Amino acid sequence: MNAQEDAAGLAAGRRHFLDLNEASSADLRAILTDSARRKAARAGWGAAAAPDEDAPLKGKMLAMIFEKSSTRTRVSFDLAMRQLGGATMVLNGAEMQFGRGETIADTARVLSRYVDAIMIRTFEHDKLLELAEAATVPVINGLTDKTHPCQILADVLTFEEKRGPIRGKKVAWLGDGNNVCASFIHAAGQLDFELAVACPASLSPERDVLDWAEKTQARVSVTRDPAEALMGADLVVTDSWMSMHDPEHTRIRRHNLLSPYQVDEKAMQVANPDALFMHCLPAHRGEEVVNAVMDGPNSAVFDEAENRLHAQKGVLTWCLGAI
């Protein structure tokens, strides 16, 4: 989106946050800066839900649609909106006419008459896109099976508060080239860091995401060798190998495929000595990561989880024109 389109979209109340590659590098940096500033301003505050001093979204309402279960996304967006002075309503996709008796487009048009922004956590990425196309208020991607942009903003925020600017650093991704990995690929191009993905061939990132990286000359590589990806890494990231919906035979097959990509003490020793470890959670301890790493001195997983709140605040203020 160029500056003219962005201004027109904001004037119409439609500055969407759908994927990292659709926002400009400058906008992503503005979101991260605002997130860090707001976190610092609340240092030492006791009342988690007390509004920020400026409360920029006072009187605003965020609708949160959940078709997938959630802990961090639900709590962080809810609390973020409260701290910004606004309010939320939670909508369960299974209890709505969402995509069944009523079209997604019509749902978007109706919700746009009631609320100031919509966050959706869903399976099919096309649902997100259809919702955004028809809505007249900003739509935020809380997660789809294709991407998870809000998570990566929290990861970058966490890295930068512990190690300084991520630009020029190396991130190693081990495991499934899934939705979180896809958003890391987008972030590598937009925020100018190197990303080395180590994964089985059958679980490589989607072709269109890799094509985008190649077209934009993002520093992204894919290897089958975990040691190659880990060498010189400043940050090591993984994600769950399994989904709660996977049948037993799928779980066994995926475990066999992914076991060489487990993040254990030996893996971390290949990375730089001060390399951080991150995982978006929930983690299956003993599978994709061992306890010694998860609970080790270089682990930032719970800081990362906390920073979902602060990154979400940056996204919300950006979408609603407060930055």
Side-chain angles (χ1 to χ4, degrees):
M1 181 180 292
N2 60 38
Q4 184 175 0
E5 290 170 333
D6 189 47
L10 182 57
R14 294 178 70 249
R15 186 189 261 179
H16 299 317
F17 185 78
L18 304 181
D19 274 315
L20 298 181
N21 64 325
E22 295 190 11
S24 71
S25 298
D27 282 337
L28 294 178
R29 184 49 61 189
I31 290 170
L32 288 165
T33 299
D34 188 67
S35 300
R37 179 183 66 82
R38 290 186 178 281
K39 180 178 182 180
R42 294 183 67 92
W45 285 34
D52 291 356
E53 290 184 358
D54 59 345
L57 301 188
K58 184 177 181 180
K60 302 292 186 181
M61 175 65 72
L62 172 69
M64 304 192 297
I65 301 173
F66 290 95
E67 290 197 306
K68 299 187 78 167
S69 59
S70 171
T71 299
R72 280 150 293 277
T73 298
R74 178 168 178 166
V75 175
S76 59
F77 264 110
D78 184 87
L79 191 54
M81 200 64 183
R82 295 189 196 197
Q83 289 186 0
L84 292 168
T88 64
M89 61 173 63
V90 177
L91 304 172
N92 186 326
E95 297 172 351
M96 299 170 63
Q97 294 294 330
F98 193 62
R100 295 196 301 275
E102 184 172 52
T103 68
I104 294 170
D106 285 351
T107 299
R109 294 183 183 102
V110 170
L111 288 179
S112 295
R113 301 294 183 100
Y114 297 146
V115 303
D116 300 284
I118 303 167
M119 187 281 297
I120 181 169
R121 182 177 172 93
T122 187
F123 293 91
E124 300 167 29
H125 197 78
D126 284 347
K127 281 189 177 181
L128 167 75
L129 299 181
E130 188 174 350
L131 189 75
E133 179 66 26
T136 56
V137 298
V139 172
I140 299 169
N141 178 358
L143 174 143
T144 71
D145 284 351
K146 187 176 180 67
T147 57
H148 196 359
C150 289
Q151 178 64 54
I152 275 53
L153 285 184
D155 293 358
V156 173
L157 181 64
T158 305
F159 182 89
E160 295 197 333
E161 69 184 12
K162 292 180 175 295
R163 297 291 189 265
I166 199 168
R167 183 177 184 179
K169 301 296 186 179
K170 180 179 179 181
V171 177
W173 174 277
L174 269 61
D176 187 358
N178 62 9
N179 53 351
V180 183
C181 180
S183 287
F184 251 117
I185 291 171
H186 290 154
Q190 298 291 71
L191 298 173
D192 196 18
F193 60 85
E194 179 184 355
L195 176 67
V197 177
C199 60
S202 60
L203 296 175
S204 288
E206 292 187 10
R207 186 68 255 168
D208 65 318
V209 177
L210 294 176
D211 288 343
W212 176 87
E214 183 176 353
K215 181 179 179 180
T216 58
Q217 298 183 319
R219 290 183 291 162
V220 175
S221 60
V222 179
T223 179
R224 309 300 165 218
D225 181 3
E228 181 182 343
L230 288 162
M231 189 67 65
D234 302 290
L235 170 62
V236 179
V237 191
T238 192
D239 195 3
S240 174
W241 295 346
M242 311 296 174
S243 166
M244 68 180 71
H245 307 290
D246 288 339
E248 183 63 22
H249 70 275
T250 299
R251 294 177 66 86
I252 293 171
R253 180 181 64 82
R254 288 177 65 87
H255 187 277
N256 292 339
L257 277 172
L258 288 163
S259 57
Y261 300 89
Q262 183 186 68
V263 181
D264 57 15
E265 301 99 314
K266 290 182 179 179
M268 291 300 294
Q269 287 169 4
V270 179
N272 286 341
D274 65 344
L276 292 176
F277 170 75
M278 293 189 195
H279 188 306
C280 67
L281 302 179
H284 295 81
R285 292 168 176 260
E287 290 190 356
E288 69 270 13
V289 60
V290 300
N291 286 339
V293 173
M294 182 87 167
D295 300 321
N298 289 14
S299 175
V301 295
F302 297 109
D303 298 300
E304 176 189 8
E306 176 192 342
N307 279 340
R308 286 294 302 277
L309 164 63
H310 306 296
Q312 250 80 290
K313 289 169 74 174
V315 169
L316 287 163
T317 55
W318 180 81
C319 284
L320 288 165
I323 56 173

